[in-house]
Amino acid sequence: MNALIDHTRLHRTAKYFMDNGRAATHDDAMDILRGFGVSIRVGREAATSAAHQVALLTLVNLTRRTLLGGVETLGVPDAPLLVPLARARTLADAVVELGGTLARAANPLWPVVQLGAVPPEVGNTAWSLTWQGWRGGVVPHYETRRLADDESNPLAAALAAAAAAAELFAWHAKDHPMAGRRAAGLSLWNPGADWLGPDESEPPLSYLPSSVWLIGLGNLGQAFAWLLACLPYADRSKVGLTLQDYDVIADSNDSTSLLSSLPLIGFKKTRVAAHWLEAAGFTTALEERRFGPWTLRGPHDPAVAFCGVDNAPTRADLGSAKFELVVEAGLGAGPGGFRNFSLHTFPASRRPDQIWRRVDGGDAIDVSAMPAYKALRKSGIDTCGLAQLASRTVGVPFVGLIAAALAVSELLRRLHGGDGVETASGSALNLDDIACVRLPVSPYAFGHLPVR
């Protein structure tokens, strides 16, 4: 099996166990992930609540890519699908479409995530999703503090699902002693604040961006698309999205990217994203070249861009494309940093080319001496192939979703009169500790639409 693995087929989460030395081979790393699973207990609220459906479907989509033992759901109501996150007509069929299973009893060996009003869990490690306004996260099932689980901002419900996925992975991987014993979440209105505490400064969600340019359609770019579809637009056909990427879906994208699946391997990322977004009601335009100094926004193109690429030279050119506002999200790398995320906005106190170099520094962590890579070398992989494998970063979809939620919320905050964030950084291992540099901003003048 090892001889068949290359950088396009590598499961990016399995690479974590290859890079930290826990797995002796790629197959061993995959076997570790096949031992990870979750039971999701769903309350009746999901039958009529769009936010509960966002939380459930986001959690299923995230966890089926990392918990390869299975994602089973219990108590999913027989109800219409209220959100455009799947092509199914019912919530139960949407769960199955996104990779979950419908079960009658929980696996006693797996932890449990509770969504809505369900009987308290006894015995297993369990968390409850909770959110309110712009705040969302997860708490241990015995924790008495809860939020209202309201319909105010569905991104808070999606964020709660990502926080749960992060805690589930840490609990299974046994790489954080507090996983399963702590609350984890954040405020999208005021990152770094107590997300379980009241925040009277939060406004009701009233305005949504009318057009955005998405640069890069991998882990982060597909998370941007997923979250835009979660937003309660009154008419999505009036939303214009320009999608830019030159690459195709690879086997490895299935492990990290929310719109990717194995049947889509070989298709252009732009066309996969456009097909999904158009089915959700959006209007799309495609740009299938690399982003670079030759990329210029036209007078009728979106004035705002989300950037989710993973290389410094592309980021360095963000200031030359004539966007009025750029929100850039980035993810950490390596076995010690893959849970990290960052955010930059431009214009700011520094230009993009003052932050990133246009020449790639080649400073990736060298993991080629780890047992899994020695096994690959013995299996016959040549030096070039081994270097490509070793250079790929560990990837998990829940970190991309958290970073994307902060990025999308940057536009929403500015649309509602809040301060801007120039830079932010944090880790999915400690969502309570988000470092932000804020800046006053002018009123958002780049197009908006009402919520329904």
Side-chain angles (χ1 to χ4, degrees), residues 47 87 109 133 171 211 232 250-251 268 270 274 293 366 371 394 408 438:
R87 305 289 75 86
L109 301 179
W171 185 88
S211 62
D251 192 316
K268 285 273 193 178
T270 48
D366 183 8
V394 179
V408 176
R438 304 176 190 275

Side-chain angles (χ1 to χ4, degrees), residues 213-414:
W213 188 308
L214 275 62
I215 303 168
L217 292 167
N219 185 339
L220 281 162
Q222 293 184 30
F224 293 146
W226 179 270
L227 292 173
L228 289 170
C230 291
L231 293 173
Y233 281 98
D235 184 355
R236 291 186 181 85
S237 68
K238 296 181 179 179
V239 184
L241 302 176
T242 297
L243 312 176
Q244 183 165 13
D245 203 305
Y246 66 92
D247 208 354
V248 299
I249 300 288
D251 192 316
S252 60
N253 294 122
D254 182 64
S255 60
T256 61
S257 305
L258 295 180
L259 309 186
S260 298
S261 61
L262 297 181
L264 297 174
I265 291 172
F267 287 89
K268 285 273 193 178
K269 290 180 179 178
T270 48
R271 300 178 197 185
V272 168
H275 179 75
W276 190 87
L277 286 163
E278 288 168 6
F282 294 97
T283 299
T284 67
L286 306 187
E287 176 60 70
E288 295 184 325
R289 299 185 301 162
R290 291 177 182 266
F291 182 89
W294 51 84
T295 304
L296 292 176
R297 168 185 165 258
H300 302 294
D301 291 330
V304 177
F306 288 138
C307 177
V309 299
D310 61 357
N311 66 85
T314 298
R315 291 167 171 156
D317 288 322
L318 287 172
S320 63
K322 307 296 185 183
F323 292 113
E324 299 291 341
L325 173 63
V326 175
V327 182
E328 183 276 336
L331 305 178
F338 72 98
R339 290 180 173 95
N340 297 343
F341 52 84
S342 65
L343 180 138
H344 295 84
T345 64
F346 304 99
S349 61
R350 293 191 295 167
R351 300 189 312 269
D353 61 355
Q354 293 174 317
I355 299 174
W356 296 289
R357 295 174 293 181
R358 284 197 168 92
V359 177
D360 195 332
D363 52 358
I365 299 171
D366 183 8
V367 295
S368 59
M370 290 296 175
Y373 296 94
K374 292 180 178 179
L376 288 167
R377 186 182 294 110
K378 290 180 180 178
S379 73
I381 291 181
D382 61 26
T383 301
C384 180
L386 192 67
Q388 285 183 312
L389 279 167
S391 68
R392 291 301 184 267
T393 60
V394 179
V396 287
F398 50 82
V399 179
L401 194 285
I402 293 167
L406 283 169
V408 176
S409 296
E410 183 66 21
L411 297 195
L412 300 182
R413 192 184 320 105
R414 295 187 186 204

Side-chain angles (χ1 to χ4, degrees), residues 12-310:
R12 299 287 284 274
T13 311
K15 193 174 189 296
Y16 173 48
F17 301 109
M18 298 168 65
D19 287 4
N20 67 13
R22 180 171 165 183
T25 67
H26 178 266
D27 289 345
D28 287 346
M30 292 297 290
D31 285 342
I32 291 172
L33 291 181
R34 293 185 187 105
F36 296 0
V38 63
S39 298
I40 305 171
R41 301 177 64 188
V42 183
R44 293 181 180 178
E45 296 92 337
T48 56
S49 166
H52 280 74
Q53 292 193 5
V54 164
L56 172 60
L57 297 180
T58 302
L59 183 59
V60 170
N61 197 355
L62 292 170
T63 53
R64 77 92 176 156
R65 300 172 190 276
T66 50
L67 310 184
L68 302 188
V71 178
E72 59 182 21
T73 59
L74 296 87
V76 177
D78 182 15
L81 183 63
L82 303 176
V83 291
L85 300 178
R87 305 289 75 86
R89 293 179 178 271
T90 70
L91 180 60
D93 287 345
V95 166
V96 174
E97 179 183 324
L98 292 172
T101 61
L102 305 176
R104 293 180 177 272
N107 186 324
L109 301 179
W110 290 350
V112 174
V113 174
Q114 301 176 154
L115 172 60
V118 297
E121 181 62 29
V122 178
N124 288 28
T125 299
W127 297 264
S128 295
L129 297 185
T130 192
W131 64 88
Q132 182 176 339
W134 297 61
R135 291 160 288 129
V138 64
V139 296
H141 70 98
Y142 53 78
E143 171 68 67
T144 58
R145 291 181 296 173
R146 294 286 194 281
L147 300 177
D149 300 348
D150 59 20
E151 303 293 303
S152 298
N153 186 342
L155 294 195
L159 175 65
E167 290 296 287
L168 282 163
F169 183 77
W171 185 88
H172 275 295
K174 297 180 174 58
D175 58 5
H176 196 289
M178 291 301 294
R181 304 174 183 175
R182 62 178 179 173
L186 62 86
S187 167
L188 296 171
W189 177 256
N190 188 12
D194 177 11
W195 70 276
L196 281 169
D199 188 345
E200 295 181 358
S201 70
E202 288 182 351
L205 192 64
S206 303
Y207 309 106
L208 304 172
S210 60
S211 62
V212 183
W213 188 308
L214 275 62
I215 303 168
L217 292 167
N219 185 339
L220 281 162
Q222 293 184 30
F224 293 146
W226 179 270
L227 292 173
L228 289 170
C230 291
L231 293 173
Y233 281 98
D235 184 355
R236 291 186 181 85
S237 68
K238 296 181 179 179
V239 184
L241 302 176
T242 297
L243 312 176
Q244 183 165 13
D245 203 305
Y246 66 92
D247 208 354
V248 299
I249 300 288
D251 192 316
S252 60
N253 294 122
D254 182 64
S255 60
T256 61
S257 305
L258 295 180
L259 309 186
S260 298
S261 61
L262 297 181
L264 297 174
I265 291 172
F267 287 89
K268 285 273 193 178
K269 290 180 179 178
T270 48
R271 300 178 197 185
V272 168
H275 179 75
W276 190 87
L277 286 163
E278 288 168 6
F282 294 97
T283 299
T284 67
L286 306 187
E287 176 60 70
E288 295 184 325
R289 299 185 301 162
R290 291 177 182 266
F291 182 89
W294 51 84
T295 304
L296 292 176
R297 168 185 165 258
H300 302 294
D301 291 330
V304 177
F306 288 138
C307 177
V309 299
D310 61 357

Side-chain angles (χ1 to χ4, degrees), residues 418-448:
D419 286 341
V421 169
E422 179 174 351
T423 64
S425 60
S427 170
L429 276 181
N430 187 9
L431 290 175
D432 290 335
D433 187 16
I434 305 293
C436 291
V437 175
R438 304 176 190 275
L439 76 167
V441 293
S442 301
Y444 189 92
F446 314 120
H448 65 274

